[in-house]
Amino acid sequence: MSMSLAVAVLLLGVADSMVGSYFVLFVTEDAGLTPLETGVFVSVHGAAGIMIAWLAGHGFDRQPSRWYAAVSMLCGGAALWLMPAIRSYPLFILLAVTLLGALAAAFPQLFALGRHLPGAGSTAGRSVTLLRSVWSLAWAAGPLIGAAVRAVAGFPAILRSAAVVLVVAAVWVLTAVPRPGPPHPQPPPDDRTGSRQPRSTTILPTVGITLFFTAMFAASVVMPLFVTGELAQDDSAVGVLFSVCAAVEVLAALLLAAMPAHISQRLIILTGMGGFVFFFALTVLADDLILLAAGQVVRGIAIAVVGAAGIRWFQDAMAPATGRATTLFANATTAGMVLAGIVGGGAVSLLGYTGTLLLCGAVTVVATIAFAVGTSAHHGRPPPVPACRPLPPPRGPAGSETHSRADRG
């Protein structure tokens, strides 16, 4: 794993978690958006982010470059800096589909770079897992930093502090992260499916990942209400439980990176999804903090496993299209977040807190089945050809000069 790339992931994660933890509170309490306006804003932003990230992924596969990640972070930084000064809802929507939407490309672009760094070789796949542990660490620290900034200077300072971090991250990527070379996919034998796969081979796995994150995000919204309302625990218990989950997530991602390369990524993902079902069972049965904490340990392991092994599986399955593969996984996560708002909000009003958690568990079961069925055709198949071949040179009037221009400096 490149330490310079790890620093970039850490900076992006800190900025993302600072804003993500308080964004809804900012747009409702400070900017004055109604709940309906907030819901529309979040949905439009998610849809725009999916489209922009997908276009950036295609561009990266045509010509790998650090500029995609850097520009997306600069756009996000500009959006966050401007938002505290905006009170017009149409301008909020405009930011959502342009500058703020572009920030969604940063995460998959950085993880795609990890597969292309010079000298990565056989460790390219493992570096994804290590970078995922850095991302988890950033999300453990970012909300605490955001809380400290809010206590001193309020909501607008959180957004502008995150904007500065994003600009620093963009400059760091362009100056410290090595220029990308050819990809280095090294999938385990039972996961290797040849060179680029037909698009149909990733449909069901993508559905499975989307449903998994739908259940995860919906449960994140319901859990605090369940703990304080259903179980009558103190508000501080919520922070303790989420801290346990974050700490376990970091450790689990590091342990996953140490696993032998021959262990099937498919099996690891399915084990993580099965563990997530167990988390919902523990939570629903809990009557004190001990079982709740045990459930958060399982939850942290499951999120780390699916988050890290999932990226690696898509990169292996779609090699050498690293940019599109990583973007597909990231967009599935974003789609899950958008669906979670609908599922979580509607389910709580109809089923209550416990019923919603049970529904999330059922959604996770469906996610596990979808991923298992969608990947069963490749399980155990011997590798017919090498996993990757060099990408063709870009075509067009620029010819062979495109690479040097795209990645200069």
Side-chain angles (χ1 to χ4, degrees):
M1 177 182 67
S2 167
M3 289 304 298
S4 59
L5 187 58
V7 171
V9 171
L10 180 66
L11 291 172
L12 175 63
V14 167
D16 188 57
S17 58
M18 285 175 65
V19 175
S21 302
Y22 298 97
F23 189 79
V24 172
L25 291 176
F26 166 77
V27 296
T28 54
E29 294 184 13
D30 194 84
L33 270 60
T34 67
L36 176 60
E37 289 173 334
T38 301
V40 171
F41 177 87
V42 171
S43 297
V44 169
H45 170 241
I50 288 173
M51 180 59 65
I52 295 173
W54 186 250
L55 292 174
H58 275 262
F60 185 93
D61 289 334
R62 287 194 299 269
Q63 187 58 65
S65 172
R66 301 168 297 182
W67 279 96
Y68 294 105
V71 170
S72 68
M73 288 187 285
L74 288 174
C75 288
L80 294 178
W81 189 268
L82 291 172
M83 284 190 72
I86 294 176
R87 290 297 179 268
S88 168
Y89 188 64
L91 285 180
F92 273 119
I93 295 298
L94 181 61
L95 277 183
V97 299
T98 54
L99 296 176
L100 195 60
L103 182 58
F107 176 89
Q109 286 293 321
L110 290 181
F111 277 76
L113 278 172
R115 209 73 186 244
H116 287 253
L117 293 184
S122 61
T123 65
R126 183 166 295 181
S127 69
V128 170
T129 309
L130 292 172
L131 289 175
R132 186 60 178 75
S133 69
V134 174
W135 181 260
S136 299
L137 179 62
W139 262 88
L144 299 177
I145 298 173
V149 172
R150 180 194 174 193
V152 174
F155 285 125
I158 296 178
L159 271 64
R160 286 184 168 161
S161 297
V164 172
V165 174
L166 288 174
V167 172
V168 171
V171 174
W172 177 265
V173 166
L174 292 176
T175 57
V177 175
R179 296 176 182 175
H184 303 280
Q186 295 290 334
D190 67 335
D191 286 335
R192 188 177 341 204
T193 56
S195 54
R196 184 178 309 180
Q197 297 303 307
R199 183 175 301 175
S200 60
T201 63
T202 58
I203 292 178
L204 272 180
T206 303
V207 170
I209 295 296
T210 300
L211 291 177
F212 174 85
F213 282 106
T214 298
M216 188 202 83
F217 286 119
S220 297
V221 173
V222 177
M223 269 294 294
L225 303 174
F226 173 78
V227 171
T228 58
E230 199 91 353
L231 300 184
Q233 297 289 328
D234 189 79
D235 291 352
S236 61
V238 176
V240 171
L241 292 174
F242 282 164
S243 295
V244 169
C245 178
V248 171
E249 190 179 339
V250 175
L251 293 175
L254 290 173
L255 290 175
L256 186 62
M259 283 189 175
H262 66 270
I263 297 180
S264 166
Q265 298 300 303
R266 173 182 184 268
L267 178 60
I268 292 173
I269 294 169
L270 291 175
T271 301
M273 289 183 169
F276 210 56
V277 176
F278 185 52
F279 149 70
F280 286 113
L282 279 177
T283 301
V284 169
L285 294 174
D287 56 3
D288 56 26
L289 279 178
I290 296 178
L291 269 184
L292 285 174
Q296 290 300 309
V297 170
V298 177
R299 178 175 180 260
I301 294 173
I303 294 173
V305 164
V306 176
I311 295 175
R312 185 171 176 180
W313 186 90
F314 276 87
Q315 288 183 342
D316 291 341
M318 295 177 65
T322 310
R324 275 170 285 179
T326 315
T327 301
L328 182 59
F329 180 89
N331 283 349
T333 305
T334 303
M337 180 176 62
V338 173
L339 289 174
I342 302 172
V343 172
V348 167
S349 61
L350 294 174
L351 305 174
Y353 304 141
T354 301
T356 301
L357 289 174
L358 288 173
L359 175 63
C360 290
V363 171
T364 308
V365 171
V366 176
T368 306
I369 294 172
F371 191 87
V373 172
T375 56
S376 60
H378 310 307
H379 184 58
R381 180 184 298 179
V385 294
C388 178
R389 59 178 179 271
L391 290 170
R395 297 178 181 178
S400 60
E401 297 177 356
T402 304
H403 177 71
S404 61
R405 286 203 306 269
D407 223 7
R408 186 173 296 158

